[in-house]
Amino acid sequence: MFTRNVEPAFYDTDALGHINNTRLPAWFELARNDLFRLFTPDLDPRKWRLIMARMEVEYLAELQYGSDIEIRTYLSRLGNSSFTVTQEAWQDGLMTNIGRTVMVQFDHQSKKAMPIEGDLREALEAHVQEEPVAA
């Protein structure tokens, strides 16, 4: 599992006074960089080997300004060429959001999915875990 802390800025809030729901997908993407480095260590977009096939975010509780948010990133499924990245947002000991993103290892020239094999597969397997059971 990868973890990353985000300190919300005042501009991340909305008219209701909590963190705007549009910020979570951006923070989740930022936190996926640790995972992206397994595919492209220097994050050079000219060498990119991934595409996003699906993204969803569940909003379980409000996030508040003034307290850091911990983003936990892991794989909940590892297939032949695709995998599901699950991300949890935690604030003050409470899981407030859970996101799932399906990524595909992809050859942009041939426009085809590529199998995940060898050392890369082993590196990804180290980050596979089950999602928490909803209460």
Side-chain angles (χ1 to χ4, degrees):
M1 178 185 325
F2 300 102
T3 60
R4 187 176 286 240
N5 285 327
V6 175
E7 180 182 1
F10 183 75
Y11 68 81
D12 293 324
T13 62
D14 62 17
L16 298 175
H18 58 269
I19 302 301
N20 189 284
N21 63 335
T22 63
R23 300 307 297 145
L24 261 297
W27 291 340
F28 283 166
E29 181 180 17
L30 171 67
R32 285 193 298 272
N33 278 348
D34 298 315
L35 182 63
F36 292 160
R37 287 183 197 285
L38 297 176
F39 290 84
T40 309
D42 62 1
L43 299 179
D44 182 344
R46 295 168 298 193
K47 302 175 197 169
W48 211 252
R49 301 187 305 176
L50 293 169
I51 58 171
M52 180 186 297
R54 178 184 172 93
M55 180 182 70
E56 63 182 48
V57 178
E58 289 184 58
Y59 297 89
L60 308 172
E62 294 176 344
L63 288 167
Q64 304 297 325
Y65 174 72
S67 184
D68 283 0
I69 298 161
E70 180 184 54
I71 307 292
R72 301 176 185 176
T73 302
Y74 54 91
L75 274 62
S76 55
R77 184 190 61 80
L78 179 57
N80 187 42
S81 60
S82 67
F83 54 96
T84 301
V85 181
T86 298
Q87 294 177 282
E88 303 169 6
W90 288 77
Q91 189 177 50
D92 299 328
L94 176 67
M95 184 171 65
T96 60
N97 306 82
I98 188 164
R100 293 169 199 86
T101 306
V102 176
M103 305 293 298
V104 179
Q105 181 169 241
F106 194 75
D107 181 329
H108 290 277
Q109 291 196 347
S110 69
K111 304 294 185 201
K112 293 183 180 177
M114 300 176 1
I116 300 169
E117 302 173 321
D119 292 342
L120 175 58
R121 184 168 204 77
E122 288 181 25
L124 292 172
E125 286 172 345
H127 298 283
V128 174
Q129 69 180 59
E130 288 186 33
E131 284 188 35
V133 177

